[in-house]
Amino acid sequence: MNPTIKREGIDALWDDEIVPTLMRYIQIPNQSPLFDPDWEKNGHMARAAELARQWVESQNLSGTRTKLHSAEGRTPLLLIEVDGSGDETILMYGHLDKQPAMIGWEKGLGPWTPVLRDGKLYGRGAADDGYAVFAAVAAIQAVQSQKLDHPRIVVLIECSEESGSIDLPYYIELLASEIGAPDLVICLDSGSGDYDRLWSTTSLRGGVVGNLTVEVLTEGVHSGDASGIVPSSFRVLRTLLDRLEDAATGEILPEWLHVEIPEGRLEEVRATASVLGQSVYTHFPFVDGMKPVTDDPVELLLNRTWKPRLAYTGQAGLPDLVQGGNVLRPSTSLKLSLRLPPPLNGEKAREGIRNLLESDPPYGAKVTFVAEKGGTGWEAPPPEPWLLESMERASQAFFGKSVCFTGEGGSIPFMGMLGERFPSAQFLITGVLGPNSNAHGPNEFLHIQTGKNVTASVAQVVADFQARK
């Protein structure tokens, strides 16, 4: 018979140690390097990584070696190796770096101010993805405390994921012998459609993030003098965006940015839509009278997981409303965040977008597109029967409902790296980012009970992995 994980110890560890430590972690403004160029000088990332290292070592896991790697000029990486029986390896993954503070937090809440309210822990980074290292260690501890066998386990916690995992390839090469060849990868940096079941992510979109700038003058001039003679940089920029996106529908226009969606993924989306229904969109904080792109949950899920879509996430050159005088400005810049279908090659897409936007500029304006980060998405290989059975068993035991499978609209660069490097590995990609948890935005929270349930589910999969033969 397969072993059965008991959750009492997991719940107690979360209440007594994990939540208090996460509250300390939230207070550290360790923004990812893309958002804090002085991250190394500021020292916040080192503090966060050291906090995690000390907590891990305090747990006294049997057969464990913990090392915090800090290569010069690179973000730290925490590597935890846990001895096990047999010659197989499970690799667990998470990250500690955070997105920027963002504006719009409710009164009493803030990015670096931990607040416990209604079973949720508010603050930047706890759900994305500070909880991961604690959940991984707690899951291993649960298996060991019940004297259940487990294979060798490697836990890898990076600190540049929100910047496109810029330092991770270096560490993967440096630590190749310690990492080994994983047979099962458990990633704790994904989302969930609700808080009622275990969710397994089957695909992740790729992306291209970059800055599009249009320059028309060397300095600003009186708008009354120049309008009608000098084309507005904003209008030129808007014209360029019409090459990429249909403004009326949000559809991405170039065919080469689309892929044919596999029938199996279409069936998966239909099944997920039947579970979630209108909650696919009703959890978003729409203003009064606002509606989603469509009210068809299937179409919305496809838009979110397998179709390219564009968001505008930053700007430069536009003064605020108070400082906006009668001046025709010399330039306008927008930050574009284009999500790509999972199989689409990110590098080719980036170059294609640059050529699309920079070629033949209207009126001869100076147009530049500078990509900041991006990459190819990822699609999971078919799960083996034992893994399907284990996920279902865990979901029923710790959530009370069947496991559900879905694609995610975001990206985890590590998955693409691993999928290419270890094509025979099995994957469980899951997480705690459910409705309204608002990762990257204001009022981000960690749903604590889901954190406990995910931890217990991971422990069950680890135990079942060893017992599957």
Side-chain angles (χ1 to χ4, degrees), residues 89 181-185 378 380-382 384 418-419 421-427:
T89 297
D183 302 277
L184 172 65
V185 177
W378 172 84
E384 294 177 357
L418 275 193
R421 194 178 183 105
F422 304 111
S424 62
Q426 290 282 283
F427 291 84

Side-chain angles (χ1 to χ4, degrees), residues 134-403:
F134 304 100
V137 170
I140 299 168
Q141 190 176 77
V143 174
Q144 289 189 352
S145 67
Q146 293 175 222
K147 303 189 184 319
L148 301 174
D149 284 340
H150 63 75
R152 175 177 177 266
I153 300 174
V154 176
V155 183
L156 189 155
I157 307 295
E158 65 156 318
C159 291
S160 69
E161 194 274 343
E162 301 292 5
S163 298
S165 292
I166 52 177
D167 293 327
L168 190 56
Y170 167 83
Y171 283 118
I172 288 179
E173 292 298 328
L174 178 70
L175 304 173
S177 60
E178 288 90 337
I179 294 172
D183 302 277
L184 172 65
V185 177
I186 300 175
C187 171
L188 295 167
D189 186 29
S190 194
S192 57
D194 58 26
Y195 300 110
D196 299 331
R197 70 202 80 228
L198 179 66
W199 287 83
S200 175
T201 298
T202 56
S203 64
L204 296 156
R205 285 193 292 188
V208 174
V209 177
N211 301 322
L212 175 62
T213 298
V214 172
E215 299 175 75
V216 297
L217 294 169
T218 58
E219 61 183 10
V221 296
H222 194 296
S223 61
D225 187 28
S227 60
I229 297 177
V230 180
S232 161
S233 59
F234 186 87
R235 181 166 67 85
V236 174
L237 191 148
R238 186 174 63 182
T239 302
L240 293 171
L241 293 175
D242 285 341
R243 301 176 179 181
L244 182 59
E245 179 190 44
D246 184 330
T249 65
E251 290 289 324
I252 299 302
L253 297 174
E255 286 297 320
W256 45 270
L257 288 172
H258 293 258
V259 301
E260 184 176 352
I261 303 173
E263 181 57 37
R265 297 306 179 202
L266 289 171
E267 293 176 2
E268 182 181 278
V269 165
R270 295 184 191 111
T272 301
S274 69
V275 169
L276 296 180
Q278 292 184 339
S279 68
V280 169
Y281 62 87
T282 55
H283 70 278
F284 289 104
F286 288 114
V287 298
D288 288 344
M290 182 67 184
K291 295 181 290 187
V293 172
T294 173
D295 59 3
D296 180 355
V298 172
E299 189 63 26
L300 291 174
L301 285 171
L302 289 174
N303 287 348
R304 181 179 176 270
T305 59
W306 276 87
K307 293 184 180 181
R309 283 297 183 269
L310 181 63
Y312 306 94
T313 60
Q315 66 82 26
L318 286 166
D320 62 31
L321 297 178
V322 175
Q323 296 298 315
N326 293 328
V327 176
L328 196 148
R329 297 172 297 98
S331 66
T332 304
S333 299
L334 287 179
K335 185 179 292 294
L336 312 185
S337 176
L338 179 67
R339 299 292 181 174
L340 304 174
L344 200 71
N345 185 284
E347 288 189 14
K348 291 182 179 179
R350 180 179 60 195
E351 188 61 22
I353 292 165
R354 187 183 68 81
N355 290 334
L356 177 74
L357 297 173
E358 290 186 355
S359 63
D360 192 22
Y363 304 104
K366 183 179 179 181
V367 176
T368 54
F369 178 74
V370 179
E372 286 186 340
K373 66 174 182 176
T376 304
W378 172 84
E379 183 179 6
E384 294 177 357
W386 78 266
L387 182 55
L388 281 173
E389 293 171 6
S390 180
M391 288 188 288
E392 173 66 14
R393 186 168 179 237
S395 189
Q396 291 284 3
F398 304 117
F399 288 88
K401 291 185 179 180
S402 288
V403 64

Side-chain angles (χ1 to χ4, degrees), residues 64-117:
T64 299
R65 294 171 299 285
T66 303
K67 184 170 183 180
L68 185 58
H69 296 267
S70 297
E72 185 177 356
R74 298 186 184 275
T75 52
L77 181 138
L78 181 62
L79 186 72
I80 307 162
E81 297 180 77
V82 185
D83 294 334
S85 58
D87 57 1
E88 295 178 302
T89 297
I90 292 177
L91 175 61
M92 298 187 187
Y93 167 84
H95 70 88
L96 287 169
D97 55 314
K98 301 173 185 176
Q99 284 277 323
M102 196 70 175
I103 62 173
W105 290 76
E106 294 178 11
K107 185 177 181 180
L109 302 179
W112 323 124
T113 304
V115 174
L116 279 170
R117 182 187 297 173

